[in-house]
Amino acid sequence: SQQGEEDPQALSIQEGENATMNCSYKTSINNLQWYRQNSGRGLVHLILIRSNEREKHSGRLRVTLDTSKKSSSLLITASRAADTASYFCATDNSWGKLQFGAGTQVVVTP
Amino acid sequence: GAGVSQSPSNKVTEKGKDVELRCDPISGHTALYWYRQSLGQGLEFLIYFQGNSAPDKSGLPSDRFSAERTGGSVSTLTIQRTQQEDSAVYLCASSSYGGTEAFFGQGTRLTVV
């Protein structure tokens, strides 16, 4: 079973626009992470936000976490064609087991 | 090596045969994960190893699937009597300890014909 669910399933935007995707989860967590996957192979870690943090930035990425609503959002600002990928959230329970959502497919057109 | 290595990259096998997939994690990483991903789908959790603790096998889909991690390093995922529905990309990841940033291998694409 999957712990996180991303929304939307797919997102198509133009270069320069912002992309926002959301993740909802079911049980309490230690932290929440976002990953990117290109061409269906290995995932790359983007950012980790701890359960006691509410917002975190890394370059053009901004992540928020609302533990009361069990949800997180990932914002990519000023998107580029190279941002075209699938984005996954992953939650860590107290035992360190990472569970992933179904992902959001983002297409950025020039 | 500098990253997580998986072998083989691709495996085509006949239905009913057994297959072994290998994962070499980053040296010193105590946590190791296996996931399965079907085309266009999310990552399905299979098994999680953390140090010397008993592994979390709760994601293994049937008793045809097993995994071991020898000496806290290399891991092997074995699928016995493969079925067509086992066709997928099998991804391995490791992290310094459970719940921290995970580093993924490039996966093994398994095709059962």
Side-chain angles (χ1 to χ4, degrees):
Chain A
S1 62
Q2 291 171 327
Q3 157 78 313
E5 294 293 334
E6 286 91 342
D7 168 61
Q9 289 186 336
L11 183 59
S12 184
I13 56 173
Q14 292 191 316
E15 270 191 323
E17 294 181 336
N18 295 341
T20 300
M21 59 210 85
N22 303 295
C23 170
S24 59
Y25 56 92
K26 298 171 185 172
T27 62
S28 61
I29 59 171
N30 278 346
N31 65 56
L32 186 144
Q33 303 179 42
W34 286 90
Y35 288 79
R36 183 183 71 214
Q37 184 180 41
N38 293 91
S39 65
R41 288 297 186 122
L43 280 72
V44 174
H45 180 264
L46 295 175
I47 195 165
L48 180 154
I49 185 165
R50 302 192 186 285
S51 60
N52 62 354
E53 296 176 310
R54 292 296 167 258
E55 187 171 315
K56 203 161 183 179
H57 298 253
S58 177
R60 294 184 296 112
L61 305 180
R62 173 178 169 252
V63 169
T64 63
L65 179 64
D66 187 335
T67 53
S68 67
K69 295 181 179 178
K70 292 186 168 59
S71 68
S72 173
S73 68
L74 171 66
L75 168 69
I76 305 172
T77 60
S79 61
R80 306 166 181 168
D83 295 328
T84 294
S86 291
Y87 292 82
F88 295 87
C89 67
T91 53
D92 158 41
N93 62 13
S94 59
W95 157 232
K97 172 179 168 180
L98 278 182
Q99 289 185 279
F100 286 78
T104 294
Q105 287 187 299
V106 176
V107 175
V108 182
T109 54
Chain B
V4 177
S5 177
Q6 290 189 246
S7 60
S9 296
N10 292 282
K11 175 73 176 179
V12 179
T13 190
E14 293 181 349
K15 179 181 171 181
K17 299 283 189 183
D18 297 352
V19 295
E20 284 189 353
L21 311 181
R22 178 185 169 105
C23 174
D24 279 278
I26 293 173
S27 177
H29 279 191
T30 63
L32 187 146
Y33 311 84
W34 283 98
Y35 298 91
R36 179 169 71 174
Q37 187 177 33
S38 299
L39 189 62
Q41 302 299 308
L43 274 69
E44 177 187 3
F45 168 79
L46 296 178
I47 189 167
Y48 163 48
F49 296 89
Q50 172 55 59
N52 295 323
S53 301
D56 181 336
K57 304 180 180 180
S58 61
L60 295 178
S62 76
D63 59 8
R64 295 187 295 105
F65 288 72
S66 63
E68 62 178 23
R69 188 178 185 191
T70 50
S73 182
V74 172
S75 178
T76 302
L77 176 69
T78 301
I79 309 173
Q80 295 179 313
R81 305 181 301 282
T82 52
Q83 304 294 314
Q84 288 187 328
E85 60 263 28
D86 299 334
S87 296
V89 175
Y90 289 81
L91 292 164
C92 173
S94 71
S95 61
S96 55
Y97 55 88
T100 57
E101 175 184 353
F103 294 82
F104 279 80
Q106 288 304 298
T108 294
R109 184 180 300 280
L110 176 66
T111 304
V112 182
V113 297

